[in-house]
């Protein structure tokens, strides 16, 4: 059972466009993480957010943790082909849960 | 190497065979996790070790799945009498901080024919 729902499931955009991926749950998490996974590899951690309302920026990526610590968003500005991959949110409570995933394709 | 390694990277098994998947975590990491990932989906938790103790095995889908970490380092996930629905990528991750920061291996892709 996956408690974290991501939307959209698939996203195909042109290079230079902006996009937002959402991660939603009815459960409260003590922390939430975002990972990026490329084919044939394991997920790679991008960021961890722990405080409700927290915003973190990583170059063109902006991550926000919801005030109630139940949801999060990932915004990418001026997407590039190198951003292509499977984006996963993951939440920590008494266990570790991954989201359903968002497959992003950035077309040159 | 500095990262998490898994072997084999690919495994093809006939239905009914037993398989063993190995995970070498980052040296010194006390926490180790196993996940099952279907194509295009997020990983699903299988089990968690802290050192040699298996603290959570609630995600193991059946009693055909067994994991061990006898010396608190290398871990093996064993699947007995494999079924076609066991086909997936099996990911291992290790952590030094009870899981808040997990480092993943490349996974083992299991195909059951």
């Amino acid at each position: 059972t996956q408690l974290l729902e991501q939307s959209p499931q698939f996203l195909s955009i042109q290079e230079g466009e902006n996009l937002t991926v959402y991660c939603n749950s009815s459960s409260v998490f003590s922390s939430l993480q975002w990972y990026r996974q490329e084919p044939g590899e394991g997920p790679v951690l991008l960021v961890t957010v722990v405080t409700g309302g927290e915003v973190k920026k990583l170059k063109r990526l902006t991550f926000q943790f919801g005030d109630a610590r139940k949801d999060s968003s990932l915004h990418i500005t001026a997407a590039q082909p190198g951003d292509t991959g499977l984006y996963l949110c993951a939440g920590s409570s008494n266990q570790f849960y991954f989201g359903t995933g968002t497959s992003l394709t950035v077309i040159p | 190497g500095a990262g998490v390694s898994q072997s084999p990277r690919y495994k093809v098994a006939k239905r009914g065979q037993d398989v063993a998947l190995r995970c070498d975590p980052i040296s010194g990491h006390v926490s180790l996790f196993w996940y099952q990932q279907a194509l295009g989906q997020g990983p699903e938790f299988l089990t968690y070790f802290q050192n040699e103790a298996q603290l959570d095995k609630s995600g193991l889908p059946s009693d055909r799945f067994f994991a061990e970490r006898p010396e608190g380092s290398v871990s093996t996930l064993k699947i007995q009498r494999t079924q076609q629905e066991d086909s997936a990528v099996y990911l291992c991750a290790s952590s030094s901080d009870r899981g808040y920061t997990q480092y993943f291996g490349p996974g083992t892709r299991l195909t059951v024919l």
Side-chain angles (χ1 to χ4, degrees):
Chain A
T1 303
Q2 291 181 305
L3 301 183
L4 291 160
E5 293 290 330
Q6 289 183 233
S7 61
Q9 186 177 359
F10 299 98
L11 190 55
S12 181
I13 61 171
Q14 293 291 131
E15 182 177 359
E17 293 184 349
N18 302 332
L19 67 114
T20 302
V21 177
Y22 299 93
C23 174
N24 295 296
S25 176
S26 57
S27 301
V28 175
F29 293 97
S30 56
S31 70
L32 196 139
Q33 301 169 328
W34 284 92
Y35 291 80
R36 178 168 160 265
Q37 185 178 23
E38 297 193 32
E41 299 181 9
V44 175
L45 180 66
L46 296 174
V47 75
T48 299
V49 286
V50 296
T51 305
E54 183 176 2
V55 177
K56 281 191 174 179
K57 291 191 176 183
L58 183 66
K59 297 183 180 179
R60 294 177 292 102
L61 278 61
T62 301
F63 305 86
Q64 184 163 8
F65 201 11
D67 291 341
R69 291 186 289 131
K70 292 182 178 181
D71 53 80
S72 181
S73 64
L74 158 62
H75 183 79
I76 301 178
T77 303
Q80 299 177 0
D83 296 328
T84 293
L86 180 67
Y87 288 81
L88 297 159
C89 63
S92 298
S93 55
N94 61 337
Q95 206 180 74
F96 200 74
Y97 301 94
F98 272 91
T100 47
T102 295
S103 180
L104 171 65
T105 301
V106 182
I107 302 167
Chain B
V4 178
S5 62
Q6 292 186 245
S7 60
R9 290 294 314 275
Y10 303 91
K11 176 69 178 177
V12 178
K14 292 184 178 179
R15 191 175 59 180
Q17 284 185 333
D18 298 349
V19 298
L21 313 180
R22 178 186 169 107
C23 172
D24 285 81
I26 294 173
S27 178
H29 279 193
V30 298
S31 299
L32 186 144
F33 301 79
W34 282 99
Y35 296 87
Q36 181 188 61
Q37 185 176 27
L39 186 65
Q41 300 293 314
E44 293 214 21
F45 170 83
L46 294 177
T47 187
Y48 160 57
F49 290 86
Q50 189 167 329
N51 295 306
E52 68 278 5
Q54 189 174 19
L55 299 186
D56 189 340
K57 55 181 181 179
S58 62
L60 296 175
S62 78
D63 59 6
R64 295 185 296 105
F65 286 71
F66 172 76
E68 61 183 3
R69 194 186 184 199
E71 297 179 358
S73 179
V74 171
S75 178
T76 303
L77 176 67
K78 297 179 179 178
I79 308 174
Q80 297 176 325
R81 304 180 303 282
T82 52
Q83 304 293 317
Q84 285 187 324
E85 62 263 28
D86 299 335
S87 295
V89 173
Y90 291 86
L91 293 166
C92 173
S94 71
S95 172
S96 62
D97 58 4
R98 292 183 66 245
Y100 292 110
T101 303
Q102 295 188 27
Y103 297 88
F104 282 82
T108 295
R109 179 176 295 279
L110 173 65
T111 302
V112 181
L113 302 178

